[in-house]
């Protein structure tokens, strides 16, 4: 008999400072109550405070292979859900400092370790559906991360390219289906296409074309590399897909993990955190570091990254972005004081 209620203490980094959250899950509901402590949780305390039952209701959540077309089921009323974002682990071209873009390059051994570490960080968070790009480094990261999940469900890529693909990949055992996590592949989540820069070394390209020009190609919002995509173009496809396919899942109470790339995730973060075109160019993303958002009442609440054995790069914002935002605030305050 599956337990009706599940209680688990989880520590997160958050804007409000160090705190614990008591997560209560039952059929049709998920609540997260803050529990304040006198001092910051250490990693040892975190490991000691995380307790779960193998019979918890989180392990009993049925995946949505059969319900992807009915995500607006009005019978389900869930106050909030989780959104987990992960940039893929280090790829073999990241290691070589090459422009990768849409070239399909696998992970390095370090990238594999990063993916596994990401999985350890999120292993106690409920996951109902996973979205990946069409590129192998995204897929490897997602699959490796999910091998660490405490429910031990099997991630299975949903093939709906043709009617024959749907039939041939159909799962007929309901029990097996319940122990699976659907993984949806979408080219719209692919990395920005870098055009004729793909395959070139970034430093050598900067020496040949000029540092300012290469920085403009890489970090400006609307500049395109030769025959490539601008960040604005990447944003249009990635955010449109997020709004049309992923956000409705969150609205219906599903807990979603998205494993994608620096620029497709940068685009999504621009939407989630309401960044301006000037702010987003200062945004950097660490490979293999999960970012957690709570989706509640059509709002995205940033919760940083679940604690793990690595504390570097807990959240993707860089010092440059923080400084930029602070300067903007100072300018506003100066105008108000005049």
């Amino acid at each position: 008999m599956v337990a009706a209620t599940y209680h688990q203490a989880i520590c997160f980094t958050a804007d409000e400072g160090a705190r614990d959250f008591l997560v209560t899950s039952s059929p049709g509901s998920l609540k997260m109550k803050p529990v304040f402590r006198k001092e910051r949780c250490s990693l040892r305390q975190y490991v000691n405070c995380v307790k779960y039952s193998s019979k918890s209701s989180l392990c009993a959540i049925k995946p949505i292979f059969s319900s992807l077309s009915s995500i607006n089921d009005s019978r389900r009323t869930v106050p909030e859900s989780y959104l987990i974002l992960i940039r893929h682990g280090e790829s073999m071209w990241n290691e070589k400092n090459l422009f990768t873009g849409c070239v399909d390059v696998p992970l390095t051994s370090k990238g594999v370790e990063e993916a596994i570490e990401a999985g350890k960080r999120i292993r106690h968070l409920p996951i109902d559906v996973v979205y990946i790009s069409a590129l192998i480094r995204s897929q490897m990261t997602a699959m490796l991360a999910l091998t660490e999940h405490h429910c031990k469900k099997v991630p299975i890529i949903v093939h709906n390219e043709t009617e024959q693909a749907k039939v041939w990949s159909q799962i007929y055992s309901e029990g097996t289906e319940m122990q699976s996590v659907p993984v949806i592949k979408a080219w719209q989540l692919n990395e920005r296409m870098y055009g004729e820069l793909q395959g070139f070394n970034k430093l050598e390209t900067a020496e040949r074309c000029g540092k300012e020009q290469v920085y403009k190609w890489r970090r400006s919002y609307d500049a395109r590399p030769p025959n490539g995509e601008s960040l604005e173009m990447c944003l249009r496809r990635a955010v449109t897909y997020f709004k049309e396919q992923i956000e409705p899942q969150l609205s219906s109470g599903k807990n979603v993990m998205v494993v994608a790339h620096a620029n497709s995730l940068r685009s999504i973060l621009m939407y989630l955190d309401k960044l301006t075109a000037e702010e987003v160019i200062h945004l950097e993303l660490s490979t293999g570091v999960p970012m957690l958002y709570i989706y509640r009442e059509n709002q995205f609440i940033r919760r940083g990254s679940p604690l793990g054995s690595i504390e570097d790069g807990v959240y993707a914002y860089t010092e440059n972005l923080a400084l930029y935002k602070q300067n903007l605030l100072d300018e506003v305050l100066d105008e108000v004081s005049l």
Side-chain angles (χ1 to χ4, degrees):
M1 179 65 68
V2 175
T5 306
Y6 172 74
H7 298 282
Q8 175 188 348
I10 303 178
C11 302
F12 294 105
T13 57
D15 290 341
E16 297 84 353
R19 61 166 65 177
D20 291 346
F21 289 95
L22 182 65
V23 179
T24 304
S25 171
S26 59
S29 68
L30 181 65
K31 298 179 180 179
M32 189 167 77
K33 178 182 179 182
V35 181
F36 293 91
R37 295 187 180 275
K38 294 182 179 179
E39 58 185 11
R40 193 177 190 86
C41 282
S42 67
L43 177 60
R44 184 180 299 275
Q45 289 170 325
Y46 165 73
V47 172
N48 290 336
C49 78
V50 173
K51 299 178 182 178
Y52 65 93
S53 167
S54 60
K55 296 181 180 180
S56 76
S57 60
L58 291 184
C59 290
I61 297 175
K62 184 176 180 179
I64 53 175
F65 280 101
S66 59
S67 61
L68 287 173
S69 60
S70 59
I71 54 179
N72 292 319
D73 187 349
S74 60
R75 293 172 296 179
R76 288 197 64 187
T77 305
V78 182
E80 62 187 29
S81 50
Y82 290 152
L83 171 65
I84 303 166
L85 304 176
I86 306 177
R87 182 188 175 190
H88 62 80
E90 182 190 67
S91 75
M92 296 181 76
W93 276 17
N94 289 145
E95 183 182 45
K96 296 178 181 295
N97 200 30
L98 304 180
F99 284 102
T100 310
C102 288
V103 180
D104 211 355
V105 178
L107 301 181
T108 61
S109 57
K110 177 184 175 182
V112 169
E113 292 174 358
E114 289 176 334
I116 292 172
E117 176 60 33
K120 291 178 180 179
R121 290 192 179 207
I122 62 171
R123 67 190 304 266
H124 295 292
L125 297 178
I127 299 173
D128 299 319
V129 59
V130 178
Y131 287 86
I132 56 175
S133 78
L135 302 174
I136 190 65
R137 56 192 185 273
S138 163
Q139 298 169 28
M140 289 178 69
T141 301
M143 294 302 188
L144 288 167
L146 288 170
T147 62
E148 298 296 322
H149 203 272
H150 80 90
C151 276
K152 301 301 181 183
K153 290 186 178 181
V154 178
I156 297 178
I157 295 179
V158 177
H159 288 284
N160 54 10
E161 301 88 351
T162 65
E163 286 301 317
Q164 185 181 55
K166 292 179 184 178
V167 172
W168 284 24
S169 61
Q170 180 67 40
I171 299 173
Y172 292 96
S173 167
E174 184 175 352
T176 299
E177 185 181 22
M178 289 184 66
Q179 290 303 313
S180 305
V181 177
V183 181
I184 314 300
K185 184 167 56 176
W187 69 266
Q188 292 91 337
L189 299 175
N190 280 9
E191 177 59 287
R192 176 156 70 112
M193 208 282 271
Y194 269 106
E196 295 175 14
L197 297 183
Q198 292 183 171
F200 281 101
N201 182 277
K202 294 175 183 177
L203 290 178
E204 293 174 358
T205 303
E207 292 174 359
R208 185 175 69 253
C209 301
K211 293 181 179 180
E212 290 185 6
Q213 180 61 65
V214 171
Y215 182 84
K216 185 177 180 180
W217 283 334
R218 294 185 64 192
R219 286 294 178 264
S220 64
Y221 181 67
D222 53 6
R224 296 176 54 188
N227 294 318
E229 283 185 306
S230 64
L231 178 60
E232 182 181 20
M233 295 166 69
C234 179
L235 182 143
R236 282 202 297 268
R237 60 173 164 85
V239 173
T240 297
Y241 184 85
F242 184 90
K243 289 180 177 180
E244 293 179 352
Q245 301 297 327
I246 299 175
E247 196 164 344
Q249 299 277 17
L250 295 163
S251 297
S252 71
K254 299 296 193 307
N255 301 291
V256 179
M257 182 170 82
V258 179
V259 182
H261 306 266
N263 284 291
S264 53
L265 288 177
R266 186 179 284 121
S267 301
I268 291 172
L269 286 168
M270 184 177 180
Y271 167 65
L272 298 182
D273 289 339
K274 298 179 175 58
L275 302 178
T276 67
E278 289 298 318
E279 289 173 331
V280 75
I281 65 175
H282 296 280
L283 180 61
E284 294 286 351
L285 295 169
S286 301
T287 53
V289 177
M291 294 166 283
L292 176 65
Y293 284 78
I294 304 299
Y295 183 81
R296 181 191 304 142
E297 297 179 349
N298 300 321
Q299 297 293 323
F300 290 94
I301 305 166
R302 176 162 52 86
R303 290 299 186 199
S305 178
L307 290 177
S309 61
I310 299 175
E311 291 305 315
D312 294 336
V314 165
Y315 190 62
Y317 283 142
T318 62
E319 183 178 352
N320 285 338
L321 178 59
L323 181 61
Y324 177 85
K325 292 174 77 71
Q326 184 60 49
N327 289 338
L328 286 182
L329 179 61
D330 290 343
E331 290 175 7
V332 172
L333 293 176
D334 288 341
E335 291 178 3
V336 171
S337 63
L338 292 177

